[in-house]
């Protein structure tokens, strides 16, 4: 960050002296006011629930311009990455800052491919879960448990440990997600196959059985790879901030990523794709496209508690660029599978059309986000609805790890410890039992 040639002055109407604070420029995006000395100099904190105006860190990984609807990984637009890279090249870019050359790409693909197996003991651990457990509950447990299996990569302050943990997490997540799925349906686990691509291998571990060969469909393989790319990182969102906060105490990378998975589960974040598909199915059950108007009235009624899932975003105040790419993939997958007339896709398009013309959504700058179409693609591929967020977690692991490693390498990093505006009881004396 670069010091700006101007400062911010904070003045008070109660006669307290004004305070000058430095301002920094990033490479793009809004300038930031450095308030670190505020408490020391004034005895006051700032109040910003939800971090609406607070940058909690400096980062050089991902940048979103919410007004333009632009998403950059290490400076490259998401559209160019989606067209020119596969997921593992995207991982390399996020982790290392540069797109790999041919040799680097081959080496990285090989490194990840040869770490996809998990300790055999993991399957016994999995057996402790109920078969009907939500996959996110299972994944939070399994990923946290990795730290109990890989003792040689748990020191967050050792760059070598962090590197090995990063490769292990990226490589093993597909295996764990597929195991969570197979366990739920009572089918045997499929071991990874090294000759397949990252997404091809995942498709086989999900849908293959030991009884016959599984042929990977190139269209589905590409669609899944694109889902992974689009979800790989998204700057300082709730789960990434959770990973940073958790990691800031010096905990091991596996534990920090498990914390991210737990945060991602919520319906306002990663759980939105599951919630969105459930919403589409509910409207379909109510009567489909003919009920869209009625449903939209509920969404606009604040007392109903109904939201249009897959719509709106804290940062995007324009079309989420990932939603455009996902809509394109949706078309490709549905036509490959002969599902062009899929009623849920028709319903989603109708909802989007109405929302984009409706004053409620226009005024609040609410546009479709990535989750609006990703559920339809995943459902068409055969992924069960309750596994959607698990797929998101698989894809986002690289972003979490890249952000965690960036934080540990930042000389300004400190343990995260927000302040509070205390509104509870001031000190008081405990009454005797008889007087309570
Ligand atoms: N449907 C109806 N109204 C909405 C919606 C929606 N999906 N999203 C926001 N609004 C309204 C909200 O009620 C508020 O109205 P008002 O100003 O009258 O009080 C206004 O728009 C601003 O919304 P907000 O809740 O203050 O915005 P936020 O930045 O706090 O929340 C959000 C962002 C993503 C949590 C929210 O838009 C939402 O809940 N969307 C649905 C869930 C969803 O699709 N989440 C996925 C996000 S993308 C994937 C990811 O990155 O995790």
């Amino acid at each position: 960050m670069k010091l700006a040639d101007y400062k911010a002055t904070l003045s008070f109407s109660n006669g307290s002296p004004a305070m000058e604070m430095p301002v920094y420029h990033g490479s793009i995006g809004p300038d930031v006011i450095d308030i670190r000395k505020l408490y020391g100099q004034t005895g006051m904190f700032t109040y910003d629930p939800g971090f609406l105006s607070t940058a909690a860190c400096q980062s050089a990984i991902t940048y979103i311009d919410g007004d333009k609807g632009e998403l950059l990984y290490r400076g490259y637009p998401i559209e160019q990455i989606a067209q020119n890279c596969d997921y593992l090249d995207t991982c390399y870019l996020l982790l290392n800052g540069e797109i790999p050359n041919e040799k680097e790409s081959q080496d990285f693909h090989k490194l990840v491919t040869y770490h996809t197996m998990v300790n055999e003991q993991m399957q016994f651990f999995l057996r402790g879960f109920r078969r009907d457990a939500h996959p996110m509950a299972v994944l939070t447990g399994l990923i946290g448990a990795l730290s109990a299996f890989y003792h040689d990569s748990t020191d967050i302050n050792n760059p070598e440990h962090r590197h090995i943990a990063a490769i292990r997490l990226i490589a093993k997540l597909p295996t764990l997600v597929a195991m969570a799925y197979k366990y739920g349906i009572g089918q045997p686990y499929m071991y990874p196959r090294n000759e397949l691509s990252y997404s091809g291998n995942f498709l086989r571990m999900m849908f293959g059985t030991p009884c016959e060969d599984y042929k990977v469909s190139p269209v589905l393989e590409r669609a899944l790879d694109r889902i992974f790319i689009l979800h790989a990182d998204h700057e300082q969102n709730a789960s990434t901030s959770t990973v940073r906060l958790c990691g800031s105490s010096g905990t091991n990378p596996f534990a920090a990523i498990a914390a991210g998975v737990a945060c991602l589960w919520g319906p306002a974040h990663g759980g939105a794709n599951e919630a969105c598909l459930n919403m589409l199915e509910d409207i379909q059950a109510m009567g489909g496209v003919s009920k869209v108007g009625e449903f939209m009235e509920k969404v606009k009624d604040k007392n109903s508690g109904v939201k249009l899932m897959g719509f709106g975003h804290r940062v995007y105040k324009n079309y989420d660029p990932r939603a455009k790419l996902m809509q394109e993939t949706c078309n490709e997958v549905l036509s490959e599978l002969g599902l062009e007339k899929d009623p849920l896709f028709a319903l989603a398009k109708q909802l989007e059309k109405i929302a984009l013309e409706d004053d409620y959504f226009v005024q609040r700058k609410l546009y479709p986000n990535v989750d609006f179409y990703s559920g339809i693609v995943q459902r068409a591929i055969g992924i069960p609805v309750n596994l959607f967020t698990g797929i998101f977690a698989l894809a986002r692991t690289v972003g979490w790890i890249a952000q965690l490693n960036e934080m540990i390498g930042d000389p300004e990093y400190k343990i995260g410890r927000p302040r509070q505006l205390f509104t509870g009881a001031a000190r008081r004396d405990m009454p005797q039992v008889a007087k309570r």
Side-chain angles (χ1 to χ4, degrees):
M1 58 191 181
K2 209 170 110 216
L3 201 60
D5 57 3
Y6 70 99
K7 291 189 168 176
T9 307
L10 184 64
S11 60
F12 303 90
S13 58
N14 64 357
S16 302
M19 182 193 165
E20 276 202 340
M21 288 167 291
V23 174
Y24 299 108
H25 298 309
S27 41
I28 31 175
D31 289 351
V32 300
I33 303 168
D34 182 349
I35 57 166
R36 280 176 289 182
K37 296 210 169 115
L38 182 75
Y39 178 59
Q41 291 189 14
T42 67
M44 294 172 101
F45 301 141
T46 53
Y47 180 62
D48 186 16
F51 297 95
L52 293 179
S53 299
T54 299
C57 62
Q58 49 175 320
S59 180
I61 302 175
T62 295
Y63 179 76
I64 304 170
D65 185 325
D67 293 322
K68 278 202 233 160
E70 186 175 72
L71 170 61
L72 311 175
Y73 291 167
R74 300 285 191 182
Y76 296 110
I78 191 68
E79 295 81 359
Q80 291 182 26
I81 295 173
Q83 265 144 31
N84 298 297
C85 298
D86 71 2
Y87 176 68
L88 286 185
D89 281 347
T90 309
C91 291
Y92 184 98
L93 172 70
L94 288 168
L95 289 171
N96 301 301
E98 294 300 334
I99 203 78
N101 63 29
E102 212 178 324
K103 165 93 175 53
E104 288 162 338
S105 171
Q106 278 169 5
D107 289 349
F108 188 73
H109 278 71
K110 190 163 175 211
L111 186 64
V112 172
T113 303
Y114 281 83
H115 281 87
T116 45
M117 264 198 322
V118 296
N119 189 301
E120 196 70 357
Q121 201 64 17
M122 283 303 265
Q123 54 176 285
F124 303 114
F125 182 68
L126 198 72
R127 273 192 208 160
F129 288 98
R130 283 170 56 137
R131 296 260 176 201
D132 63 354
H134 194 286
M136 287 302 276
V138 175
L139 284 173
T140 312
L142 291 185
I143 294 165
L146 287 177
S147 46
F149 290 94
Y150 301 103
H151 292 169
D152 57 345
S153 52
T154 52
D155 179 1
I156 209 163
N157 294 310
N158 180 329
E160 182 67 11
H161 280 215
R162 293 204 303 271
H163 173 67
I164 301 170
I167 299 302
R168 283 184 171 148
L169 278 156
I170 295 166
K172 296 182 198 308
L173 251 290
T175 315
L176 294 179
V177 172
M179 282 173 83
Y181 171 62
K182 290 291 198 191
Y183 180 74
I185 57 169
Q187 281 190 7
Y189 306 123
M190 297 292 285
Y191 288 104
R193 295 290 303 218
N194 290 349
E195 77 276 16
L196 295 175
S197 72
Y198 188 82
S199 27
N201 180 45
F202 179 64
L203 281 169
R204 183 181 164 277
M205 287 191 293
M206 283 285 294
F207 303 117
T209 67
C211 315
E212 54 191 49
D213 286 343
Y214 177 81
K215 199 164 163 351
V216 176
S217 148
V219 173
L220 302 192
E221 185 181 19
R222 205 156 69 86
L224 198 59
D225 205 66
R226 178 168 280 192
I227 290 176
F228 294 163
I229 291 172
L230 299 186
H231 288 86
D233 196 40
H234 215 224
E235 47 133 291
Q236 309 311 319
N237 54 81
S239 58
T240 301
S241 302
T242 301
V243 170
R244 279 184 178 258
L245 193 59
C246 184
S248 78
S249 72
T251 192
N252 71 76
F254 303 109
I257 300 304
V261 175
C263 176
L264 188 75
W265 192 357
H269 191 11
N273 48 20
E274 179 175 344
C276 180
L277 203 92
N278 288 336
M279 172 193 80
L280 292 174
E281 280 176 345
D282 285 350
I283 305 174
Q284 188 60 23
M286 274 158 51
V289 174
S290 66
K291 293 286 175 187
V292 165
E294 198 181 301
F295 177 76
M296 285 306 225
E297 286 314 309
K298 276 200 217 141
V299 168
K300 291 191 278 179
D301 173 6
K302 291 272 168 206
N303 299 321
S304 72
V306 177
K307 274 195 170 177
L308 181 56
M309 300 312 285
F311 252 73
H313 199 273
R314 170 64 58 80
V315 186
Y316 292 118
K317 299 302 165 198
N318 199 328
Y319 214 100
D320 177 344
R322 302 170 301 169
K324 273 193 199 132
L325 291 160
M326 196 45 77
Q327 198 188 24
E328 202 179 282
T329 299
C330 201
N331 276 320
E332 273 172 32
V333 167
L334 295 180
S335 81
E336 162 77 6
L337 299 173
L339 297 170
E340 293 92 338
K341 296 209 166 71
D342 179 56
L344 288 198
F345 190 39
L347 186 58
K349 284 201 282 199
Q350 181 68 8
L351 276 168
E352 177 186 336
K353 186 169 175 294
I354 291 181
L356 294 181
E357 287 165 358
D358 191 305
D359 257 6
Y360 175 95
F361 293 89
V362 175
Q363 276 170 14
R364 289 170 179 78
K365 299 189 176 169
L366 300 171
Y367 291 88
N369 60 51
V370 66
D371 292 322
F372 199 63
Y373 290 107
S374 71
I376 299 172
V377 179
Q378 293 190 58
R379 178 173 157 273
I381 292 176
I383 295 167
V385 178
N386 70 358
L387 203 68
F388 289 180
T389 316
I391 304 286
F392 191 161
L394 182 173
R396 181 57 58 85
T397 292
V398 66
W400 290 330
I401 276 282
Q403 301 266 354
L404 183 65
N405 289 352
E406 181 183 63
M407 178 188 76
I408 304 293
D410 183 346
E412 303 208 343
Y413 125 78
K414 284 181 175 309
I415 183 168
R417 202 324 182 169
R419 301 294 198 160
Q420 65 174 3
L421 173 65
F422 183 68
T423 57
R427 189 197 153 101
R428 51 186 172 157
D429 290 324
M430 176 71 61
Q432 296 298 311
V433 175
K435 293 196 174 160
R436 284 182 204 164

